Amino acid sequence: MQPARTCLAIVLAAGEGTRMKSARPKVLHEVAGRSLLSHVLAAVTTAGADALAVVIGPDRPDVAAEVRKHAPHAAVFIQSERKGTAHAVLAARESLAGKHDDVLVAFADTPLVRPETFADLRKALHGGVGVAALGFEAKDPAGYGRFVTQEGALHAIVEHKDADEATRRITLCNAGLMALNGHKALAILDAIGCANAQNEYYLTDAVAVARAQGLKTVARVAPEAEVQGVNDRVQLAAVEADFQRRKRLEAMLAGATLIAPETVFFSHDTVIGRDVLIEPNVVFGPGVKVADNAVIHAFSHLEGASVGPSASIGPYARLRPGAELAKGARVGNFVEIKAAAIGEGAKVNHLTYIGDAEIGANANIGAGTITCNYDGFVKSKTIIGEGAFVGSNSALVAPVTIGAGAYVGSGSVITRDVKPDALAIARGRQMEREGWASAFRAAAQARKARQ
Ligand code: UD1
Ligand code: CA
């Protein structure tokens, strides 16, 4: 068996992103709950890149930190002056000298490219190919580099600004991504000059240069939606919309029912099991897992939560990070759960806040129950045993434990532990005066008549 080809991915992230009109660097803006940059880092890694280099602009510790967070082993290079895409790639010269078989170049502002597409570009390098470039059929080609092809072979890429009338009529455009033969890449890149309309070192010239060096160059084509880039907030929203379309399809094809898919919003890492039912208007933040046969009723919001098999949440439920629902647990309308484990078959059905808690199997938490978990300084824990019954409108002042099978009377403010199987009532005692109301009314009417 042949040894696997090694691969270096160079991710260009030195753009200024002025059109975002943002204090935040463009590549740190998010799609489906994670940065554009981390989408690209993940895709090239899945495509088999075993070495990563990220080229960032000067004074961008925030971008460097994002790289360290998602790809701790990546080398970070600073392009101190923006002199074009080839110049940016060469900022990573040190990594390029590393003799990788394949070199992938990706743009950090083009987040939807699938790992399969990167892998196909790598495959295209087999058989003496020096450069494989990724193109797309553009609805509106203005502004893009054009693929000049002859008999199916890629001859050159001509930037819009350098193109003549005939070349501008070409609709097969450059997506910007490229794979280069790793053993030839430096020689190709070093031969690129800047005699063009923008006086920039164009990565696109790698095609003509490679041909001049006797290497083959080829094109691969991807759908336009997959290679769309982000330059402003309108394009950011367009990319988000396409990502969501993709995730919804994935969820449905994997066996989940989405009644109104266009109203369900996933995070990049949402995991949905089989025969899950998701009603309209549900939002998944990062870190959510939903097991088989669970039901997510309408208007629920989940983040960092795990929903067990056959569990049910909502309508109008909010699961915050650390919410863990076991099999068959039920969390109903206007209930918020944070950092709490809800045991098998337990019910928290209405108008409740459960934070920093453990709720045993089959416990029943009445409407309006609040765990008072925070005193302004520290968070404390509430533990509710199996089969316990907490009456409506109770306040459980943590730290506190309600024993298994215990009852808490409605409207109680529980400040001390309750023993298993006990009844705890902590509320004002009811008093009653017979006939008081009619006597009150008679006296009041007499007073009014005298005035
Ligand atoms: C580039 C391509 C063009 C293609 C288009 C697709 C070149 C010369 N042109 O053009 O053929 O159709 O993308 O969107 O490659 N960058 C740096 N440093 C630089 C310049 C760019 O890091 O000095 C990064 C940018 O941050 C961006 C990417 O490279 O992520 C592309 O740069 P950009 O200026 O947007 O290139 P285009 O003119 O759009
Ligand atoms: Ca661009």
Side-chain angles (χ1 to χ4, degrees):
M1 207 179 103
Q2 275 191 331
R5 296 167 65 89
T6 60
C7 177
L8 163 72
I10 301 180
V11 178
L12 304 190
E16 280 155 11
T18 35
R19 277 180 281 164
M20 295 299 282
K21 307 264 168 67
S22 175
R24 210 187 328 172
K26 174 166 76 176
V27 298
L28 297 191
H29 282 262
E30 292 185 348
V31 162
R34 72 168 166 184
S35 67
L36 303 179
L37 175 58
S38 80
H39 278 276
V40 176
L41 293 172
V44 293
T45 303
T46 307
D50 41 17
L52 277 175
V54 183
V55 179
I56 69 174
D59 305 317
R60 280 298 176 205
D62 40 5
V63 180
E66 179 77 353
V67 175
R68 273 197 304 279
K69 183 171 157 199
H70 295 280
H73 58 289
V76 174
F77 297 94
I78 291 172
Q79 184 195 21
S80 32
E81 260 186 297
R82 278 178 61 94
K83 292 189 187 168
T85 43
H87 181 260
V89 173
L90 279 170
R93 177 181 292 278
E94 232 173 84
S95 295
L96 278 163
K99 299 271 182 281
H100 297 280
D101 297 316
D102 303 343
V103 171
L104 271 178
V105 179
F107 293 170
D109 64 0
T110 308
L112 296 187
V113 182
R114 293 173 312 130
E116 293 83 349
T117 303
F118 282 117
D120 282 348
L121 263 191
R122 290 185 61 195
K123 264 191 226 134
L125 289 176
H126 292 196
V129 169
V131 176
L134 186 65
F136 64 102
E137 278 296 337
K139 276 195 271 323
D140 174 13
Y144 293 113
R146 306 297 207 284
F147 274 13
V148 180
T149 52
Q150 262 167 33
E151 288 151 23
L154 180 63
H155 262 237
I157 305 176
V158 180
E159 286 304 286
H160 182 87
K161 285 185 179 150
D162 299 288
D164 57 26
E165 279 298 301
T167 309
R168 283 187 181 182
R169 277 196 291 275
I170 297 173
T171 51
L172 183 58
C173 289
N174 179 29
L177 317 181
M178 206 175 258
L180 297 99
N181 178 321
H183 307 288
K184 317 272 185 195
L186 257 185
I188 295 171
L189 293 164
D190 275 331
I192 292 175
C194 63
N196 53 53
Q198 305 185 78
N199 292 317
E200 280 188 3
Y201 296 87
Y202 291 163
L203 179 61
T204 44
D205 283 349
V207 173
V209 167
R211 287 186 76 80
Q213 295 179 351
L215 299 164
K216 283 190 251 178
T217 52
V218 298
R220 288 289 178 270
V221 179
E224 181 162 17
E226 185 179 343
V227 297
Q228 63 190 311
V230 173
N231 296 300
D232 57 30
R233 311 253 184 173
V234 178
Q235 291 171 335
L236 183 68
V239 163
E240 177 79 47
D242 273 313
F243 187 92
Q244 292 300 337
R245 252 192 293 279
R246 203 188 267 184
K247 278 298 269 194
R248 290 164 189 149
L249 278 177
E250 263 172 35
M252 290 187 282
L253 292 173
T257 294
L258 276 57
I259 293 174
E262 64 287 356
T263 67
V264 174
F265 293 84
F266 291 109
S267 181
H268 64 97
D269 58 354
T270 311
V271 179
I272 305 286
R274 282 170 71 137
D275 292 309
V276 167
L277 171 64
I278 303 176
E279 290 185 356
N281 297 300
V282 171
V283 175
F284 294 91
V288 177
K289 283 201 176 79
V290 180
D292 295 353
N293 299 304
V295 179
I296 315 294
H297 292 287
F299 298 101
S300 293
H301 189 285
L302 305 82
E303 184 181 356
S306 146
V307 178
S310 304
S312 141
I313 79 153
Y316 297 97
R318 179 168 185 213
L319 301 188
R320 290 174 52 204
E324 288 187 9
L325 277 53
K327 186 174 170 192
R330 304 178 72 86
V331 167
N333 44 276
F334 306 106
V335 171
E336 173 179 343
I337 310 274
K338 185 218 70 168
I342 314 296
E344 195 170 325
K347 292 187 193 129
V348 191
N349 274 340
H350 338 262
L351 301 160
T352 288
Y353 172 61
I354 301 292
D356 303 299
E358 278 168 33
I359 295 182
N362 300 312
N364 192 320
I365 311 300
T369 299
I370 303 288
T371 53
C372 309
N373 58 329
Y374 187 49
D375 61 8
F377 296 92
V378 291
K379 302 258 166 73
S380 303
K381 203 154 179 186
T382 301
I383 295 171
I384 298 173
E386 282 188 26
F389 184 99
V390 177
S392 295
N393 205 32
S394 294
L396 309 175
V397 182
V400 72
T401 297
I402 313 287
Y407 265 72
V408 170
S410 299
S412 290
V413 176
I414 299 294
T415 56
R416 282 175 302 171
D417 290 355
V418 177
K419 290 197 178 63
D421 267 330
L423 165 68
I425 304 180
R427 63 185 183 215
R429 216 173 242 284
Q430 185 166 329
M431 57 82 116
E432 200 168 310
R433 289 189 204 159
E434 265 180 62
W436 180 92
S438 54
F440 168 77
R441 277 191 290 270
Q445 252 152 14
R447 247 193 328 271
K448 207 171 170 189
R450 281 200 298 277
Q451 278 168 359

